[in-house]
């Protein structure tokens, strides 16, 4: 199977989603022009968890709720979770499997409903128990993937993860018998949180969505994590949409952006600037949902209040970007209309006026604001195609693709990752490949001389974004203040110059 | 959780170890922690300082760490955890290591972000009492880690 160049006509029109399902909620918000914002929130105390969900719902933003699961539950160590709860040791998330389903239902009761869906975020390569527990609690939306919740998350063999994910998808898909439409989001757009070049993120996100579809899911979202350069991210998100349109035509689907998943700015203002940049990225690229990071990210698990503040800051930045785009569209339309009038006045043939769509077309061209094609789509297509050529059955193809090194995640220590690729940040702050190992990217990417890897070099690459935004936050000029200060958002071009 | 084989250490271009007199060091995460950038960073740093490193990778079950320590007889074990469970997992695994005669005397340090409420809230005294030789919570300088390394004699447990 190859990646067709054009979108084939859909085999059947997507079926309408039951109202109140995660996918339907997000589509409705998108149709209304509102970006859905969502926290990464999880506490071990059920009362705190409930308060967090209530605050998410009450936030001045279009929100969905999150139960983020703790690390013991993620690795399947229920005994450790139970002991920690008994000893009063606070966990880094909500131990969904350990609590009785009645406890979780009481956490959700009166908060989760068709106007406020709740998703479970977990990070497990063996999520069957987690999926069973979320279904028992009356939930039907979660995320992850056979690759993205395996390679960066531990030492479970990839083939075992694939089997576990097949079973988990089937478990979720079966809930359709009860009239709900389960939703599954790929985590493939965030391998290792940082320093993974965009094309591999796009390819993995698409491949995991295809895997979900093969195992019965009909409502999915495709993730992409904000990287080091806004133009590169924009290009990647367009590539992701193009590939999803071609390869997943019959599914309910949307794109979800993650606010930066790597080493985060330490200052509150730096954290906010980076969050706001991700919200603008989501709006510019037509993503439907954004998962935010808080000002506590660099330091510790965030409080409920910090989560709510992040949701609202992201919503304000998204609204400002939406308004700006609308104003730009109106401006273009006005300019076109004036031009047309001038043309008529000059008694030119009524050609301009006879093209009523001209203004709209120009405006939508402006709204898309195309970024230069540096080859992300071509790279991602080559990776996806190489995997699909191994076998159209992704459960078979994915482990073989890693075994052969067709997919190979830089800096990932998992034993099933070939570890022959490497990435680096170029002098413009863009993520590039310095070694492609056996990935089928020969002739597509321009390889740089591989810089010698040192602890200092690695640390400065990891801290590039942190330092750029902390430096911007410490800069007293008004263009660098976060939105909440009553100043204008920072100019994109200005931000790019920071911190080098 | 499967007990896997130790993962291949990150392939650094530095193949020649500067000196054979460096320490034999095991770098490891704890059972529940998946973060690895900290491990890669520490491996590179230790190698640059002339030590030999076996990096056990993410989510290392207690039994695997004990087993690797028995087998490799390292001069030092460096445990790093940032997911917020480090203090809790660390207390458990140090008890195991101190409880086995073959591993009881190996110097073991822990560092990173060890709790979920920030660096100030960790019970460092409790960790030292449980058997760690030093604790390097975020904010502690890498220089202090450097001086600690210089205080460890090589080849004592071999
Ligand atoms: C990248 C990242 C991830 C990636 C990790 C990919 C991978 N395989 O490594 C992904 C996205 C997969 C991830 C997942 C999770 N993460 Co995470 N992650 C981060 C992030 C953004 C950066 C970490 C990083 O790469 N640092 C770079 C390395 C080089 O630096 P470092 O780890 O800080 O270590 C430095 C020092 O601490 C020191 N050091 C560390 N250890 C030691 C040991 C010794 C002996 C010494 C001397 C020094 C030392 O040396 C380093 C250089 O200075 C941090 C937040 C941040 N810092 O911005 C959160 C963070 C660490 N993650 C966190 C959490 C909770 C998780 C999850 C549990 C999900 C969740 N509930 O939110 C899961 C982990 C699942 C599991 N089983 O553990 C929390 C931990 C909270 C806490 N401790 O209070 C953080 C702080 C984010 C937050 N505020 O919530 N994460």
């Amino acid at each position: 199977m190859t990646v067709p160049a054009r979108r084939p006509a859909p085999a059947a029109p997507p079926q309408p989603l039951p109202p109140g399902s995660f996918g339907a909620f997000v589509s409705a918000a998108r149709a209304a022009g509102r970006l859905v914002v969502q926290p990464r929130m999880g506490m071990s105390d059920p009362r705190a968890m409930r308060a967090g969900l209530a605050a998410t719902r009450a936030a001045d933003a279009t929100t969905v709720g999150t139960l983020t699961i703790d690390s013991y539950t993620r690795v399947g160590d229920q005994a450790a979770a139970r002991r920690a709860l008994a000893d009063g040791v606070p966990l880094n998330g909500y131990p969904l499997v350990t609590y009785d389903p009645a406890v979780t239902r009481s956490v959700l009761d009166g908060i989760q409903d068709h106007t406020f869906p709740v998703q479970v975020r977990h990070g497990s390569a063996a999520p069957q128990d987690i999926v069973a527990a979320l279904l028992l609690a009356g939930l039907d939306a979660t995320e992850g993937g056979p690759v993205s919740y395996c390679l960066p998350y531990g030492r479970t063999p990839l083939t075992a993860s694939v089997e576990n994910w097949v079973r988990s998808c089937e478990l979720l898909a079966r809930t359709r018998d009860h009239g709900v439409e389960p939703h599954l989001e790929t985590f493939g757009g965030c391998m290792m949180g940082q320093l993974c070049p965009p094309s591999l993120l796009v390819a993995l996100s698409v491949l995991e969505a295809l895997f979900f579809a093969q195992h019965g899911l009909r409502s999915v979202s495709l993730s992409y994590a904000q990287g080091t350069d806004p133009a590169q991210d924009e290009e990647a998100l367009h590539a992701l949409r193009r590939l999803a349109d071609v390869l997943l035509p019959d599914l309910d689907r949307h794109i979800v952006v993650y606010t930066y998943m790597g080493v985060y700015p330490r200052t509150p203002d730096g954290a906010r600037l980076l969050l706001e940049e991700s919200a603008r990225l989501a709006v510019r690229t037509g993503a439907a949902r954004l998962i935010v990071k808080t000002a506590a990210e660099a330091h510790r698990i965030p409080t409920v209040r910090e989560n709510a503040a992040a949701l609202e800051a992201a919503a304000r930045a998204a609204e400002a970007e939406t308004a700006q785009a609308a104003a730009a569209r109106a401006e273009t339309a006005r300019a076109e209309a004036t031009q047309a009038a001038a043309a008529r006045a000059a008694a030119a043939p009524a050609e301009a006026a006879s093209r009523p769509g001209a203004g709209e077309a120009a405006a939508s061209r402006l709204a898309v604001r195309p970024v230069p094609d540096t080859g992300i789509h071509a790279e991602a297509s080559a990776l996806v195609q190489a995997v699909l050529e191994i076998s159209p059955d992704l459960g078979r193809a994915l482990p073989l693709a890693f075994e052969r090194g067709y997919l190979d995640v830089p800096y990932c220590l998992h034993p099933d990752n070939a570890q022959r690729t490497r990435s680096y940040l170029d002098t413009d702050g863009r993520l590039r490949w310095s070694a492609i190992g056996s990935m089928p990217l020969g002739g597509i990417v321009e390889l740089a001389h591989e810089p010698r890897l040192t602890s200092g070099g690695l640390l400065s690459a990891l801290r590039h974004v942190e330092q750029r935004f902390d430096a911007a936050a410490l800069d007293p000029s008004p263009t660098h203040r976060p939105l909440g200060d009553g100043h204008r958002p920072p100019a994109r071009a200005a931000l790019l110059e920071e911190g080098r | 959780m499967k007990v896997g084989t130790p993962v291949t250490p990150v392939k650094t271009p530095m193949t020649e170890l500067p000196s054979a007199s460096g320490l034999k060091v095991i770098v490891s995460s704890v059972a529940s922690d998946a973060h690895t950038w900290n491990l890669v960073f520490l491996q590179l740093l230790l190698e640059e300082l002339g030590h030999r490193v076996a990096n056990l990778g993410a989510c290392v079950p207690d039994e695997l760490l004990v087993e690797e320590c028995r087998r490799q007889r390292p001069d030092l074990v460096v445990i790093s955890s940032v997911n917020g469970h480090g203090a809790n997992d660390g207390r458990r695994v140090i008890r195991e290591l101190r409880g086995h005669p073959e591993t009881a005397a190996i110097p073991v340090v822990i560092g990173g972000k060890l709790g979920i409420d920030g660096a100030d809230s960790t019970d460092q005294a409790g960790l030292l009492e449980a058997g760690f030789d030093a604790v390097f919570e975020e904010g502690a300088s890498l220089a202090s880690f450097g001086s600690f390394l210089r205080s460890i004699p090589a080849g004592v447990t071999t």
Side-chain angles (χ1 to χ4, degrees), chain B residues 74-120:
Chain B
D75 300 312
L76 173 67
V77 177
V78 174
I79 295 179
S80 170
S81 173
V82 296
N83 75 349
H85 290 184
N88 198 41
D89 282 352
R91 262 191 305 271
R92 197 187 57 231
V93 75
I94 194 68
R95 221 176 305 135
E96 291 288 315
L97 286 167
R98 294 297 174 235
H100 284 82
E102 295 152 282
T103 55
I106 302 175
V108 184
V109 302
I110 189 167
K113 295 184 204 294
L114 300 173
I116 66 159
D117 288 321
D120 306 334

Side-chain angles (χ1 to χ4, degrees), chain A residues 381-393:
Chain A
S381 305
L383 293 171
V384 169
Q385 185 167 329
V387 176
L388 293 177
E389 272 166 9
I390 295 175
S391 165
D393 170 4

Side-chain angles (χ1 to χ4, degrees), chain A residues 70-72 75-77 80 83-84 87 89-93 152-157 160 192-195 266 297-301 410-411 413-415 418-420 422 450-456 458-459 462, chain B residues 1-14 31-37 39-41 43-45 48 55-61 64 83-85 88-89 91-92 113 115-119 138 142:
Chain A
D70 72 285
S71 291
Y72 292 129
V75 299
D77 192 351
R83 226 176 300 122
D87 297 348
V89 174
L91 301 177
N92 60 12
Y153 276 89
R155 50 211 312 136
T156 306
M192 308 300 290
Q194 52 205 337
L195 296 189
R266 289 162 183 267
E297 173 64 17
H299 311 287
R300 51 171 168 73
I301 296 288
Y411 303 99
L413 300 182
H414 193 284
Q419 299 189 47
R420 285 194 302 268
R422 184 130 300 167
E450 182 166 1
R452 183 166 156 268
L453 185 65
T454 63
S455 61
L458 177 68
L459 209 54
L462 290 171
Chain B
M1 197 64 219
K2 288 242 165 33
V3 178
T5 49
V7 300
T8 335
V10 63
K11 286 157 195 156
T12 75
M14 281 179 65
S32 81
D33 195 343
H35 294 86
T36 49
W37 293 102
L39 307 178
V40 172
F41 167 77
Q43 175 180 359
L44 289 169
L45 180 75
E48 286 158 15
N55 186 342
L56 302 189
C59 295
V60 179
L64 178 61
N83 75 349
H85 290 184
N88 198 41
D89 282 352
R91 262 191 305 271
R92 197 187 57 231
K113 295 184 204 294
I116 66 159
D117 288 321
E138 249 222 339
L142 286 172

